[in-house]
Amino acid sequence: MAEAHQAVAFQFTVTPDGVDFRLSREALKHVYLSGINSWKKRLIRIKNGILRGVYPGSPTSWLVVIMATVGSSFCNVDISLGLVSCIQRCLPQGCGPYQTPQTRALLSMAIFPTGVWVTGIFFFRQTLKLLLCYHGWMFEMHGKTSNLTRIWAMCIRLLSSRHPMLYSFQTSLPKLPVPRVSATIQRYLESVRPLLDDEEYYRMELLAKEFQDKTAPRLQKYLVLKSWWASNYVSDWWEEYIYLRGRSPLMVNSNYYVMDLVLIKNTDVQAARLGNIIHAMIMYRRKLDREEIKPVMALGIVPMCSYQMERMFNTTRIPGKDTDVLQHLSDSRHVAVYHKGRFFKLWLYEGARLLKPQDLEMQFQRILDDPSPPQPGEEKLAALTAGGRVEWAQARQAFFSSGKNKAALEAIERAAFFVALDEESYCYDPEDEASLSLYGKALLHGNCYNRWFDKSFTLISFKNGQLGLNAEHAWADAPIIGHLWEFVLGTDSFHLGYTETGHCLGKPNPALAPPTRLQWDIPKQCQAVIESSYQVAKALADDVELYCFQFLPFGKGLIKKCRTSPDAFVQIALQLAHFRDRGKFCLTYEASMTRMFREGRTETVRSCTSESTAFVQAMMEGSHTKADLRDLFQKAAKKHQNMYRLAMTGAGIDRHLFCLYLVSKYLGVSSPFLAEVLSEPWRLSTSQIPQSQIRMFDPEQHPNHLGAGGGFGPVADDGYGVSYMIAGENTIFFHISSKFSSSETNAQRFGNHIRKALLDIADLFQVPKAYS
């Protein structure tokens, strides 16, 4: 096999005349080019580290300060006010050729401006950090900007006027503040008031007061201490205890999915679409490594934390008996591919050169055309990543810690990401309502063994060229993978292109060695464990009801005319829909980001409020005038917007209580209040999907270039998971999940209630007909 010979740089044999070396020039060339590429990356990282380290300064500004100091000395002007002379006197004297008075003068004139430059950078950074601590702009009415906010915005622009790299603002971002216990308790009690009767609420008040007075002060001191010491007092604990220590399957319970563009198709050729998409992904990774991606900015001026992007590629979740770990590599030059029960290793580079789309298309077509059957136990191997974590950890230790199994597993775990080539075809057909739901189900769990759920993300390719992602949640949140996906889809659609027959542009290089089959030796005992994990995963997947639909009567355009935020509009509609569906209110989770703080991830917005329940009850009574209902709706929307802003600015409820609970466990302190708070189920878990983080095209000129967002499984056994994307002026996509095993929930029924709730609220403002 030609590729086997190319895999080693040289071979040798021992002969009677000595050692005979047989060198492979082609292999040595690849080794040489790979080394050159590695050193280039190191030099780029060193350069970026320097540029990032001196931001908002630059090496050029350092030279300017030095030249100004030296130039002033020649004009007999001492801008240092005597400090240069003082530095010169402090320099050690000697008789060597480099210790002449002229050399000492030049050296002192270099030291002084360098000190001034470094001091200036420190001052500007601290000033920027103080400015970024101001969040008053978030609480101002739209169109009513105060003079203070205008001055603040001007200062931010001045201090960040240079073109920043991806991580330029990381050290200037403020730390997430620890809220006062009294404020958190007050907001918590306010959030549960509409869910409890008077007796239950009084009992909870007593528990909260006892906790606040007796237990909380000691716990709070430890949290404050951690906030001084750590970059973020929440994120490391959140990653470890919410994600990595979870022992239940990742599939459905934790991983989420992202859909492709659903209203257009660039090509029907599966291999060609993969060629363009994977080439675009590695282009994105290259930009990521070089920090050429612009930081996400709120209002175009407030930087968001970018640290989650570091582990987007080359990352795998490694199972453990008690806790998992995230393994991240600095680089990976291949992807792992699954097709018809076989695993392949596909190189992304030829030497130092990234394979072009047409070369990648050829390589994927070779995999699709490969007729070889799966090895014993290979077909369902990935079911181990879909089952329980303890079982997977034990199997990994017992059967994959040596030999060819270890080598093959390392090829998967050390890959840039995982690619699944499916034999089925899925897409969104507007004429077939069920098509979007079937597409979502395929992305969420597939057949339970054709996704590697431990990888940072799995790229899923269907036979008709449609794509999607299944992403692991521990390493980052959905907006991060959304940023990559927008870049990839935009590059595929507007920069790479296809031929008239749907293939990648250009001619491939047929001399490329084909992808390598991974070799396994899976014993019967391991096959039994694989089958057991598969049965666990299949039962979980079969229990998921997913209902996805496109809401067409209106979108962001009408909602803006109602003078409220689109998110508040949808959240209040969800409360109305849930009450109609279940006849009661429930604890509602909405994810909000805290990325305005260093290493910030998410916070919870408790969307079920006294104001929203008052509006829903008034709607159900049917005796109120439209004017009264509009007033109640506006109060509920204003309350929701305020809570969302509080969550984003570090004044949320749940992350603070979560960290207090962890401290209590570390100290061995029992708290009935915290135990009850942390055990409350989220029967309605919701999330809005961000879009247009990268403006690669004009949505008005290309209105059909719309992704449908993505979704996740239900958080509670008797609850709903709702993901939605307000995709444009005239459409909203919804992804609703529940469990068939619950007699109280039905995803499609709830979806119909959401439709009606949106229309009923819009009718209050008497403007739906223009959008119908």
Side-chain angles (χ1 to χ4, degrees):
M1 295 175 64
E3 66 273 15
H5 290 291
Q6 296 297 333
V8 292
F10 63 88
Q11 301 174 12
F12 69 90
T13 57
V14 179
T15 67
D17 299 323
V19 179
D20 175 30
F21 287 92
R22 289 178 290 166
L23 297 176
S24 168
R25 291 185 179 180
E26 187 65 23
L28 287 175
K29 175 186 173 184
H30 286 304
V31 170
Y32 168 75
L33 291 174
S34 296
I36 293 295
N37 190 50
S38 177
W39 276 104
K40 282 182 180 178
K41 284 187 174 182
R42 290 180 189 178
L43 292 174
I44 288 170
R45 286 179 185 139
I46 292 170
K47 182 197 75 172
N48 288 344
I50 293 171
L51 294 176
R52 186 193 331 123
V54 302
Y55 190 87
S58 67
T60 304
S61 65
W62 174 66
L63 289 175
V64 169
V65 176
I66 287 181
M67 291 173 64
T69 305
V70 174
S72 66
S73 70
F74 283 110
C75 298
N76 295 321
V77 176
D78 186 7
I79 62 173
S80 72
L81 302 178
L83 286 175
V84 169
S85 299
C86 182
I87 293 170
Q88 188 173 353
R89 288 194 299 271
C90 293
L91 290 174
Q93 296 185 7
C95 56
Y98 301 104
Q99 293 296 327
T100 63
Q102 292 84 358
T103 304
R104 289 160 57 80
L106 286 174
L107 186 58
S108 61
M109 280 189 285
I111 293 174
F112 167 74
T114 300
V116 170
W117 181 69
V118 170
T119 303
I121 290 172
F122 177 79
F123 172 77
F124 284 135
R125 279 192 176 178
Q126 294 304 311
T127 303
L128 184 59
K129 183 177 286 190
L130 287 173
L131 289 170
L132 292 175
C133 290
Y134 170 73
H135 300 122
W137 59 274
M138 290 194 67
F139 296 89
E140 293 179 350
M141 294 289 291
H142 183 68
K144 296 183 179 180
T145 307
S146 67
N147 290 330
L148 176 61
T149 298
R150 288 193 179 97
I151 295 170
W152 165 82
M154 288 174 59
C155 293
I156 290 282
R157 286 192 176 97
L158 284 172
L159 289 174
S160 57
S161 56
R162 282 190 59 239
H163 297 294
M165 295 187 299
L166 180 61
Y167 303 119
S168 290
F169 293 109
Q170 289 300 101
T171 55
S172 298
L173 292 173
K175 291 186 177 183
L176 184 69
V178 181
R180 289 181 295 108
V181 172
S182 58
T184 298
I185 295 296
Q186 178 187 348
R187 283 194 284 270
Y188 169 78
L189 291 173
E190 188 179 330
S191 73
V192 297
R193 185 65 188 96
L195 305 174
L196 305 175
D197 59 32
D198 291 343
E199 184 178 343
E200 291 172 328
Y201 181 73
Y202 178 69
R203 184 183 66 83
M204 186 56 74
E205 265 191 324
L206 291 179
L207 284 175
K209 189 175 188 320
E210 181 186 15
F211 169 73
Q212 181 177 334
D213 294 340
K214 296 181 180 180
T215 312
R218 183 185 175 196
L219 307 182
Q220 180 78 348
K221 288 176 183 176
Y222 283 92
L223 272 195
V224 172
L225 180 62
K226 187 188 177 188
S227 73
W228 293 345
W229 178 254
S231 300
N232 189 294
Y233 82 94
V234 175
S235 293
D236 58 339
W237 285 350
W238 186 254
E239 180 179 297
E240 179 180 357
Y241 289 97
I242 297 301
Y243 294 118
L244 297 179
R245 291 209 179 190
R247 301 293 82 196
S248 58
L250 300 183
M251 187 194 76
V252 175
N253 294 322
S254 180
N255 285 26
Y256 57 93
Y257 66 87
V258 184
M259 287 183 170
D260 197 354
L261 300 175
V262 291
L263 300 182
I264 63 161
K265 287 194 72 175
N266 293 322
T267 180
D268 291 321
V269 182
Q270 185 177 15
R273 188 81 197 285
L274 279 168
N276 269 1
I277 288 293
I278 290 181
H279 183 81
M281 281 184 166
I282 303 305
M283 285 173 59
Y284 182 94
R285 187 179 70 169
R286 180 181 292 173
K287 287 178 174 289
L288 194 64
D289 290 341
R290 297 178 178 181
E291 300 185 35
E292 295 173 352
I293 297 171
K294 294 180 180 178
V296 176
M297 311 281 274
L299 293 182
I301 59 172
V302 180
M304 301 284 106
C305 180
S306 303
Y307 99 100
Q308 294 181 61
M309 302 176 82
E310 295 175 357
R311 299 181 294 184
M312 188 178 298
F313 295 93
N314 329 323
T315 297
T316 303
R317 179 167 171 165
I318 306 297
K321 292 182 180 179
D322 298 315
T323 183
D324 296 351
V325 295
L326 289 173
Q327 172 188 278
H328 173 68
L329 307 175
S330 60
D331 193 20
S332 178
R333 301 174 62 80
H334 72 277
V335 292
V337 184
Y338 179 89
H339 176 244
K340 283 188 174 181
R342 296 91 43 84
F343 290 87
F344 296 82
K345 181 178 183 179
L346 190 156
W347 292 101
L348 299 169
Y349 293 84
E350 183 188 16
R353 182 183 68 85
L354 171 63
L355 294 185
K356 295 179 180 178
Q358 62 269 26
D359 294 326
L360 290 167
E361 177 186 354
M362 178 188 69
Q363 296 291 63
F364 278 109
Q365 194 60 53
R366 286 172 168 176
I367 292 175
L368 291 169
D369 295 339
D370 188 325
S372 60
Q375 299 160 74
E378 182 182 16
E379 182 179 14
K380 294 183 179 180
L381 174 63
L384 290 170
T385 70
R389 303 305 292 171
V390 174
E391 292 78 8
W392 173 206
Q394 292 171 341
R396 190 176 187 275
Q397 177 65 32
F399 305 111
F400 298 91
S401 58
S402 62
K404 62 172 66 175
N405 286 352
K406 180 181 180 181
L409 182 61
E410 282 185 349
I412 295 173
E413 294 181 340
R414 298 176 72 86
F417 50 90
F418 193 80
V419 183
L421 307 182
D422 284 13
E423 286 295 292
E424 299 81 14
S425 293
Y426 291 99
C427 64
Y428 173 44
D429 180 2
E431 302 299 321
D432 180 9
E433 184 183 69
S435 62
L436 196 63
S437 303
L438 293 172
Y439 178 24
K441 282 272 283 184
L443 294 176
L444 181 62
H445 52 67
N447 62 15
C448 303
Y449 57 80
N450 57 356
R451 316 277 181 259
W452 198 271
F453 294 99
D454 286 356
K455 289 301 290 182
S456 55
F457 64 88
T458 294
L459 174 64
I460 301 159
S461 170
F462 298 109
K463 198 167 187 178
N464 58 353
Q466 199 77 7
L467 301 173
L469 297 175
N470 183 289
E472 200 277 320
H473 212 324
W475 64 274
D477 301 308
I480 306 301
I481 205 75
H483 194 279
L484 162 71
W485 199 229
E486 285 184 31
F487 174 88
V488 167
L489 294 181
T491 303
D492 173 48
S493 298
F494 299 103
H495 296 285
L496 297 178
Y498 298 89
T499 65
E500 291 182 358
T501 55
H503 292 277
C504 295
L505 300 173
K507 293 184 178 180
N509 175 16
L512 286 174
T516 307
R517 273 289 302 273
L518 299 184
Q519 299 300 313
W520 308 91
D521 182 14
I522 302 175
K524 294 290 185 181
Q525 303 97 309
C526 184
Q527 293 180 36
V529 177
I530 292 170
E531 183 62 27
S532 175
S533 291
Y534 168 67
Q535 293 300 330
V536 169
K538 187 175 186 302
L540 182 59
D542 290 345
D543 195 25
V544 174
E545 180 186 11
L546 188 67
Y547 179 56
C548 308
F549 67 92
Q550 182 181 12
F551 181 77
L552 287 168
F554 60 83
K556 188 163 49 179
L558 177 139
I559 296 173
K560 287 179 179 177
K561 293 189 176 184
C562 300
R563 296 184 179 181
T564 188
S565 80
D567 182 65
F569 189 99
V570 174
Q571 284 291 329
I572 296 169
L574 290 177
Q575 291 300 315
L576 177 58
H578 187 272
F579 191 86
R580 286 171 171 170
D581 185 79
R582 300 287 295 273
K584 59 183 178 181
F585 298 106
C586 72
L587 197 60
T588 305
Y589 182 111
E590 182 190 5
S592 164
M593 67 177 182
T594 56
R595 287 175 61 201
M596 289 191 296
F597 301 97
R598 191 170 181 180
E599 297 184 14
R601 289 198 62 161
T602 60
E603 178 57 274
T604 306
V605 180
R606 293 176 167 237
S607 301
C608 183
T609 63
S610 297
E611 290 79 2
S612 65
T613 56
F615 167 74
V616 169
Q617 287 167 341
M619 286 286 288
M620 296 302 294
E621 288 171 7
S623 58
H624 294 260
T625 65
K626 283 189 175 182
D628 289 340
L629 291 171
R630 281 197 301 269
D631 184 56
L632 288 169
F633 175 83
Q634 293 292 359
K635 287 178 180 177
K638 186 177 179 181
K639 174 68 174 181
H640 182 270
Q641 286 175 262
N642 187 62
M643 289 177 58
Y644 201 96
R645 290 161 178 161
L646 286 170
M648 287 187 68
T649 54
I653 300 167
D654 290 276
R655 299 302 178 268
H656 186 202
L657 293 176
F658 162 75
C659 288
L660 289 171
Y661 176 76
L662 279 182
V663 174
S664 74
K665 288 297 180 182
Y666 283 133
L667 297 177
V669 176
S670 176
S671 170
F673 170 73
L674 288 176
E676 187 158 337
V677 170
L678 271 294
S679 65
E680 292 171 344
W682 301 97
R683 290 192 170 88
L684 182 55
S685 182
T686 71
S687 179
Q688 181 183 183
I689 305 162
Q691 60 166 334
S692 299
Q693 297 183 79
I694 305 175
R695 299 188 180 277
M696 295 187 69
F697 60 91
D698 186 351
E700 293 185 1
Q701 293 182 6
H702 305 279
N704 289 330
H705 282 72
L706 284 179
F712 52 89
V715 174
D717 290 338
D718 57 347
Y720 292 110
V722 181
S723 178
Y724 56 93
M725 186 172 78
I726 305 170
E729 297 296 308
N730 302 306
T731 190
I732 307 174
F733 284 99
F734 284 92
H735 304 253
I736 305 161
S737 62
S738 63
K739 292 194 174 183
F740 287 115
S741 56
S742 172
S743 60
E744 300 180 42
T745 57
N746 182 295
Q748 184 164 356
R749 183 186 72 206
F750 188 44
N752 292 332
H753 283 306
I754 292 173
R755 281 194 181 94
K756 188 173 187 311
L758 289 168
L759 292 170
D760 288 349
I761 294 174
D763 185 56
L764 298 177
F765 296 87
Q766 300 179 339
V767 283
K769 290 183 180 178
Y771 291 84
S772 61

